[in-house]
Structures are given as structure tokens and as C-alpha cells.
């Protein structure tokens, strides 16, 4: 195995073990995997939702604010793809769950681009569909 493959596999295994477990979002565990200058980006964020969140404290606050909206019951699909950059992984994930405010079932698909620096999650770009949230 090349050194580059090893780095990418490390990125992938961290993502799977800390960000894709059904039923819960542990904001403090995710924040613990981030450097102080971490950046979360949401290129398709609708008006009123942040397109960019910077720094560990702000990320923690953001994750806490969204953690109760969707209870994830199942990870239906999970694909982790290596890229030509050993510190970047692309994740395609579909989750099924229940909207906690209405009790309605829902399914959400995401494409996430993760960048790792010094073993920590330095950048998280989430290409989610805001139209699904409007349903």
C-alpha cells in the first residue's frame, strides 16, 4: 500500500466511525476531531442558513443547534471515495430517519468532501439538497 493510500484510508475510517453512526450526532466528538481553524461549508444553503461556519466553538454551536431536528434510524447508502489528493475524501451517504418536530419519516442524501490535516478534520463541505428540508 502506498503512503498516499494509507492517508486516504485513514481519512475514510475516521469519517465512518465518527460521522455516520445511526441515531445520534455527537457534536463534542466531532469537534474533538477538528483543529481550531476548522471550516464547515454548505454551498447550497438556503437563505437563513449558514453557508460557512468557522472555528471549533462555532462548529460546536452549529452542530448542537441542528442535532435534534432529525433522528437518524438507518444509513441506507455509504460510499467513501479516494481522490488524487491523499488528504481529501468524498463521501456519498443516504440516511433514513424521523423528523423530531413532526414525527414524519424522511430520507436525506448528502455528498460530502472532507479534507484532513495532521489527522484532524480541517474542512467539511456538505452538498446537501435544501429542497429536501423544505418538504
Amino acid at each position: 500500500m502506498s503512503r498516499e493510500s494509507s492517508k486516504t484510508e485513514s481519512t475514510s475510517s475516521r469519517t465512518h466511525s465518527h460521522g455516520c453512526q445511526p441515531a445520534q450526532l455527537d457534536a463534542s466528538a466531532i469537534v474533538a476531531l477538528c483543529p481550531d481553524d476548522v471550516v464547515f461549508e454548505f454551498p447550497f444553503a438556503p437563505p437563513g442558513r449558514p453557508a460557512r461556519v468557522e472555528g471549533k466553538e462555532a462548529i460546536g454551536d452549529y452542530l448542537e443547534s441542528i442535532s435534534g431536528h432529525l433522528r437518524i434510524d438507518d444509513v441506507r447508502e455509504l460510499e467513501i471515495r479516494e481522490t488524487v489528493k491523499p488528504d481529501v475524501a468524498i463521501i456519498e451517504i443516504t440516511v433514513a430517519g424521523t423528523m423530531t418536530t413532526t414525527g414524519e419519516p424522511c430520507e436525506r442524501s448528502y455528498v460530502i468532501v472532507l479534507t484532513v490535516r495532521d489527522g484532524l478534520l480541517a474542512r467539511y463541505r456538505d452538498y446537501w439538497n435544501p429542497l429536501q428540508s423544505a418538504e
Side-chain angles (χ1 to χ4, degrees):
M1 178 182 314
S2 75
R3 184 173 181 218
E4 289 183 9
S5 294
S6 175
K7 284 184 183 179
T8 304
E9 287 176 14
S10 175
T11 301
S12 299
S13 70
R14 277 183 185 256
T15 303
H16 186 269
S17 66
H18 294 290
C20 302
Q21 298 300 317
Q24 65 185 9
L25 170 69
D26 185 345
S28 61
I30 293 170
V31 169
L33 295 172
C34 299
D36 291 338
D37 62 346
V38 62
V39 175
F40 277 34
E41 295 174 303
F42 308 95
F44 300 132
R49 299 283 304 264
R52 184 176 173 99
V53 182
E54 298 181 52
K56 283 177 91 162
E57 185 175 344
I59 297 296
D61 292 344
Y62 172 76
L63 293 174
E64 286 294 332
S65 76
I66 65 166
S67 66
H69 298 168
L70 170 65
R71 185 185 72 238
I72 298 172
D73 301 318
D74 187 28
V75 175
R76 298 255 167 98
E77 294 180 37
L78 175 63
E79 294 285 334
I80 301 172
R81 303 187 189 286
E82 294 182 8
T83 70
V84 295
K85 294 183 174 183
D87 58 343
V88 176
I90 298 172
I91 298 157
E92 295 180 62
I93 185 170
T94 299
V95 299
T98 305
M99 298 304 298
T100 58
T101 55
T102 65
E104 292 292 317
C106 67
E107 186 171 288
R108 300 283 188 262
S109 295
Y110 305 88
V111 175
I112 301 161
V113 179
L114 295 180
T115 302
V116 173
R117 183 179 69 236
D118 299 326
L120 297 173
L121 174 59
R123 184 176 182 207
Y124 173 96
R125 292 196 82 182
D126 190 343
Y127 293 89
W128 59 283
N129 181 353
L131 297 178
Q132 287 181 323
S133 295
E135 296 173 346

